[in-house]
Amino acid sequence: MGRHADPTTQRRPAPPVLVAAGLAVVLVLGGLGWWLTAGGGCDENVTVEVAVAPELGELSQGLLTDLGSPDDEVCVTAEVTAQEPLQVAGALGALAEDALPDVWVPDARLWAARVSAAQLEQAGSMAVSPVVIGTSRAVVDDLGWSDAAPGWAEALGTGRPLAVPDLAASAEALSALAAVRTALGGDADADNAVVQAVLSAARSTALSPGEALSAGSEGSEDAPLVPVSEQEVYALNTEAAEANLVAVYPAEGSPVLDYPVLRVGAPGGAQQQAVDVVVRRLLSEDAQAAVRDAGFRGPEGAAPEGAGDATGIAEASPTVVPLEAAQLQALLTRLSSLATPSRVLTVFDVSTSMEAPVGDGTRATLARDAAKSTLSLVPGDFALGLWAFAYQLDGERDWTELVPTREVAAAVDGRTQREVLDDQLDTIPERLTPGGTGLYDTTLAAVRAARENYDPTAVNSVLMVTDGTNEDDAAGLTLDALLSTLAEEADPQRPIKVIGVALGPDADISALERIADATGGAAYSAVDENDLQTVLFDALRQRA
């Protein structure tokens, strides 16, 4: 007898995975069919628990009613839970076998890759829905996308508000960012572009993805862009009086949500027979007709019923951008570090060597502009402080504090920390001072200051930006003395990473590398000063 087989007429309670969490809605299906077939002489009454993505809940309820008996001996009842894939994935890795669903239909295969503790076998795909950019028709017309589709990088880099769903819970958002990375070549520069998209989204709008889609449905000219499934666009337009929401299909094609039908575990006997009945129904022709009626595409890309302007989606299936589950998991791991707030004391070189010309400006103006651009993107819970250093800027000290370290959203005399930092960054080119560069003394002082203000909930670091070498007097630290002092004062309970940025060909990258190694940080070289913007983003991406 299988783990869910029941030879009596008494229904057993649903297991914990199907009743836990506020989002789960248990739909008991097939009850009428069970009573009817039970009277017909079934030897066993078998319950199959099925967990499905929320958008498949009602549809699955209809499909799995009245399953009946495959052989007049086993009567099958399905209990369906409409539950977020993230919750089911967590349960599959934490609960005992008899508390797990028998069949799981998440929105994408990437969830299966995140589960290692449970045995999963894919039987097929129940539906397909391309990942698109959802926004109002007014925004699409204004951007010129009605005539020519944008690429993924362009679509997420317009400067318009971008509402990105939670990356840990949304296959659509993660797939869209992976498509951007793929379109840009999949290298370090592509990673930085993804980081910029994520950080821009965090700053660009206060609207949630749901609120942003509502704005699109209302036809707002200021509606944000939202990575979303084609089916959600279809469903929202079907419910609306007018189809103002539009699915934008980027030129490279679209990743797809493939709604895999997954067998969980390895049941035997009557339980296996019952699971087979459920799986066959979910992959049947009736199921294919039902998913297309609900706005999904069939597994081969056949369009939903009513595709066109009236539903805001295209009839033709877009080119599929293939994404491997391992690739998506790796991207999620990289982006997850952004969820941990940073606490960074940024220290800028203001020696006169920063007057060296670069393009239409100087190294100093370039550093100012790159820092201001980065500042505009970081989330409000990141804490940033600002120092300047050269030689004896404040008495015998080589450094001076311009702004204490605080969260950038913090209020400071009626303004925000972000605004205060922005103003002080504007003064960098005016602060250039002759006489040398106390790089080593300043580094030690900055590490000590960061440790005094340590935040155990954040990644704490010092960011040193310099275009030269240590040029201090005889009273200043040597590199060896700095390294030994850093080692002596290191506190495992309050680690401070030093991230060094060598700006231009004359900067002492080898010294910065040794300092970084001593503190668990990193060193970056922007030999071409115009690379500084990329280097700062890369430093942010790698900070954890």
Side-chain angles (χ1 to χ4, degrees):
M1 187 181 301
R3 59 190 165 96
H4 299 307
D6 182 0
T8 72
T9 58
Q10 182 177 358
R11 297 278 297 283
R12 68 175 183 82
V17 67
L18 299 181
V19 296
L23 292 177
V25 180
V26 178
L27 307 171
V28 180
L29 310 177
L32 177 60
W34 183 88
W35 282 106
L36 292 175
T37 54
C42 289
D43 294 334
E44 291 187 80
N45 303 298
V46 182
T47 300
V48 177
E49 277 90 18
V50 183
V52 301
E55 58 269 32
L56 291 177
E58 184 176 350
L59 186 154
S60 298
Q61 177 181 3
L63 287 170
L64 297 179
T65 300
D66 298 333
L67 290 172
S69 169
D71 57 6
D72 295 328
E73 295 182 359
V74 177
C75 293
V76 181
T77 299
E79 291 185 357
V80 176
T81 297
Q83 193 168 9
E84 295 291 345
L86 179 63
Q87 292 178 315
V88 180
L92 290 174
L95 299 182
E97 182 181 357
D98 61 358
L100 303 180
D102 299 286
V103 177
W104 180 27
V105 188
D107 56 8
R109 277 178 290 175
L110 72 91
W111 298 108
R114 297 175 65 175
V115 176
S116 59
Q119 180 179 342
L120 301 174
E121 177 188 355
Q122 183 170 342
S125 175
M126 184 175 176
V128 163
S129 190
V131 176
V132 299
I133 304 296
T135 191
S136 70
R137 196 176 301 277
V139 169
V140 169
D141 291 341
D142 182 58
L143 291 170
W145 291 352
S146 300
D147 301 321
W152 275 104
E154 179 188 351
L156 298 187
T158 63
R160 283 183 174 268
L162 177 66
V164 177
D166 181 1
L167 293 173
S170 169
E172 299 100 310
L174 191 58
S175 296
L177 293 174
V180 171
R181 184 176 183 276
T182 298
L184 293 176
D187 56 11
D189 288 343
D191 284 343
N192 288 329
V194 171
V195 170
Q196 291 184 52
V198 173
L199 295 179
S200 294
R203 289 272 298 141
S204 65
T205 180
L207 298 181
S208 69
E211 291 168 337
L213 289 172
S214 294
S217 294
E218 294 165 3
S220 171
E221 295 180 356
D222 299 318
L225 309 177
V226 188
V228 67
S229 74
E230 180 188 66
Q231 187 274 337
E232 188 163 0
V233 173
Y234 177 102
L236 289 171
N237 279 331
T238 301
E239 298 168 358
E242 187 175 354
N244 291 315
L245 190 63
V246 176
V248 177
Y249 302 83
E252 300 93 342
S254 293
V256 297
L257 306 182
D258 58 352
Y259 294 91
V261 178
L262 302 170
R263 302 173 189 267
V264 181
Q271 187 69 35
Q272 181 177 354
Q273 286 183 281
V275 169
D276 289 344
V277 169
V278 169
V279 168
R280 283 196 296 270
R281 182 64 64 86
L282 294 175
L283 298 175
S284 66
E285 291 184 4
D286 287 345
Q288 293 308 298
V291 298
R292 291 178 62 196
D293 284 343
F296 298 91
R297 292 180 183 267
E300 304 302 321
E305 296 297 329
D309 289 343
T311 53
I313 69 172
E315 183 173 355
S317 180
T319 300
V320 174
V321 174
L323 299 175
E324 296 296 329
Q327 173 189 356
L328 292 170
Q329 184 59 37
L331 177 61
L332 178 61
T333 299
R334 286 193 294 272
L335 293 173
S336 293
S337 67
L338 294 176
T340 303
S342 277
R343 189 173 184 85
V344 183
L345 173 54
T346 304
V347 186
F348 277 96
D349 187 342
V350 292
S351 60
T352 50
S353 59
M354 292 286 283
E355 287 180 328
V358 178
D360 296 331
T362 65
R363 289 176 183 167
T365 59
L366 181 71
R368 173 201 63 196
D369 295 343
K372 286 168 67 75
S373 177
T374 302
L375 174 64
S376 72
L377 294 174
V378 298
D381 60 353
F382 278 34
L384 299 177
L386 181 63
W387 285 13
F389 80 101
Y391 176 72
Q392 294 188 349
L393 289 186
D394 185 2
E396 295 186 354
R397 295 195 319 185
D398 296 326
W399 64 93
T400 185
E401 181 182 71
L402 303 182
V403 184
T405 303
R406 293 180 286 244
E407 289 191 357
V408 298
V412 183
D413 297 330
R415 308 171 70 202
T416 66
Q417 173 81 344
R418 193 188 304 273
E419 292 171 328
V420 173
L421 285 165
D422 192 74
D423 284 351
Q424 287 299 317
L425 285 169
D426 279 333
T427 71
I428 293 294
E430 305 166 6
R431 294 179 177 275
L432 302 189
T433 304
T437 308
L439 175 62
Y440 301 154
D441 284 1
T442 302
T443 299
L444 181 59
V447 169
R448 287 172 171 171
R451 186 171 288 120
E452 289 178 3
N453 293 285
Y454 186 82
D455 180 355
T457 68
V459 178
N460 294 252
S461 58
V462 170
L463 175 63
M464 303 290 300
V465 180
T466 181
D467 73 335
T469 61
N470 184 70
E471 297 174 342
D472 208 348
D473 55 32
L477 289 168
T478 64
L479 178 57
D480 287 341
L482 169 63
L483 296 176
S484 63
T485 304
L486 288 173
E488 291 169 3
E489 297 183 0
D491 183 352
Q493 301 303 314
R494 294 182 298 164
I496 304 296
K497 304 171 184 288
V498 176
I499 301 170
V501 176
L503 179 59
D506 301 322
D508 191 350
I509 183 63
S510 63
L512 294 177
E513 288 173 340
R514 293 184 65 185
I515 295 169
D517 289 343
T519 60
Y524 298 86
S525 177
V527 175
D528 181 345
E529 290 93 336
N530 293 299
D531 292 337
L532 180 59
Q533 180 69 81
T534 300
V535 165
L536 288 179
F537 277 119
D538 198 46
L540 178 62
R541 179 174 65 88
Q542 298 282 4
R543 76 193 197 287

